[in-house]
Amino acid sequence: MRAVRLEAVGSIKLREVDKPVPGPDELLVRIEACGVCGTDRHLFRGEFPCRPPVTPGHEFSGIIEAVGNAVSGFSVGDRVTGDPNIACGRCPYCHAGRVNLCRNLSAIGIHRDGGFADYVVLPQKQAFVLPADLPPTHGAFCEPLGCCLHGVDLAEIKPGSSVIVLGGGVIGLLTVQLARLAGATTIILSTRQASRRALAEKLGATATVDPTAADVIDAIAGPAGLAPGGADVVFECAGVRETVEQSMRLARAGGTVVIVGVTPQGMKAEFEPFDLLFRELKVVGSFLNPYTHRRAAELIASGAIEIERLISRQVPLEEAAEVIANPPAPGEVKVLVVPSRI
């Protein structure tokens, strides 16, 4: 079969490799779609730890083509989405229910071969059945939506809350939709790209800000801003120093900041501990998707989350390496890799 191989930092190629064989408790899944994530670009640039050579791709869905002899509850022909984050179930964090912090975490597409290929092997405990009539491309959004759900859970948004989202990529736009479903009545998104601001307003943002046209702090939290004094909850979804630093200045006193965006490993940001203390801000990191993948799949299957507008383009496996090795095109939200030959 074909697979996109990250052979070393800065080296990614499409290769012919052996088709995998599922173990007793595994599924062989024919990939229908796999999303290109910012983390894939971090892997390529050496900004996120992984184990090359490896096939990246952790946002995938597809059709079961074979099952191991110990598999139950799944059948050949089922459409499934895969939770890529495999916890050991034995360490203290797993025993405490913090599976995303597992000491022995193994992630499909990072530590073991993932979805930028014709096929992927998926442990049955990581698989979730999707409706047969769901558009095949929509299943690839379960993983990023699951990560956003974890962030929204940590934020504890209440009906009537005010929310700021920094970053207009897929994570920011999914978070806007979840904040709306959670009952937030003020949802402000900040992003440089006009097309993403327009899309955010169609998806539930009550206002958007162009950070290149105005001082974000004044425009949002200033006396004449969109949310004077700041918001109840701020989501940092861009993963860059500027927005990390802005996030703590945009939360109101007693507010919550949730760091969702993946920053390059080693990046540093500045904040004033006195301000954190004096305004009693709650700053939390939101890592991965603990116990949220099923909910994400159910939300997508229900139609409650707009997916189609988030798909910027679809590319075949032959173009995947080039997409991963380069920054997103202006206005691009999500590129899906769709194998064109099996």
Side-chain angles (χ1 to χ4, degrees), residues 198-251:
L199 180 54
E201 292 181 6
K202 292 175 182 176
L203 296 176
T206 57
T208 57
V209 172
D210 178 359
T212 66
D215 180 271
V216 172
I217 308 303
D218 287 342
I220 297 178
L226 296 166
D232 298 310
V233 177
V234 180
F235 291 97
E236 195 292 312
C237 299
V240 297
R241 174 175 174 167
E242 181 182 14
T243 49
V244 171
E245 293 176 347
Q246 289 171 353
S247 65
M248 299 183 204
R249 299 178 62 194
L250 288 169

Side-chain angles (χ1 to χ4, degrees), residues 89-224:
R90 302 183 304 274
C91 73
Y93 291 106
C94 286
H95 288 167
R98 307 290 299 275
V99 291
N100 57 321
L101 305 180
C102 172
R103 288 179 176 174
N104 307 299
L105 190 73
S106 176
I108 298 171
I110 296 176
H111 306 110
R112 53 189 286 175
D113 290 339
F116 293 136
D118 288 321
Y119 295 91
V120 69
V121 165
L122 179 65
Q124 66 170 335
K125 71 186 184 72
Q126 304 297 124
F128 300 86
V129 175
L130 295 168
D133 59 353
L134 185 76
T137 52
H138 289 198
F141 284 80
C142 293
E143 194 277 342
L145 181 61
C147 293
C148 295
L149 275 168
H150 181 45
V152 170
D153 288 347
L154 291 170
E156 299 180 333
I157 297 172
K158 296 178 175 60
S161 294
S162 55
V163 170
I164 297 168
V165 178
L166 301 177
V170 69
I171 297 298
L173 294 170
L174 288 171
T175 299
V176 163
Q177 297 187 65
L178 291 175
R180 172 179 52 80
L181 291 175
T185 49
T186 298
I187 305 172
I188 303 164
L189 179 134
S190 172
T191 188
R192 291 182 172 88
Q193 300 187 33
S195 61
R196 291 181 176 184
R197 293 195 300 274
L199 180 54
E201 292 181 6
K202 292 175 182 176
L203 296 176
T206 57
T208 57
V209 172
D210 178 359
T212 66
D215 180 271
V216 172
I217 308 303
D218 287 342
I220 297 178

Side-chain angles (χ1 to χ4, degrees), residues 32-33 61 79 130-140 300 307-308 311:
E32 291 187 297
S61 62
R79 174 170 288 132
L130 295 168
D133 59 353
L134 185 76
T137 52
H138 289 198
I300 288 174
I307 295 297
E308 197 63 34
I311 302 172

Side-chain angles (χ1 to χ4, degrees), residues 1-52:
M1 71 169 189
R2 299 165 305 159
V4 176
R5 300 290 288 169
L6 179 65
E7 297 177 337
V9 171
S11 176
I12 190 166
K13 307 282 186 183
L14 181 66
R15 301 293 192 191
E16 289 286 336
V17 300
D18 291 338
K19 182 177 175 181
V21 176
D25 63 346
E26 294 177 329
L27 314 172
L28 178 67
V29 177
R30 175 174 56 82
I31 297 294
E32 291 187 297
C34 186
V36 177
C37 172
T39 299
D40 297 313
R41 294 185 170 103
H42 285 309
L43 295 174
F44 174 76
R45 296 192 294 263
E47 297 169 344
F48 194 95
C50 72
R51 298 174 188 162

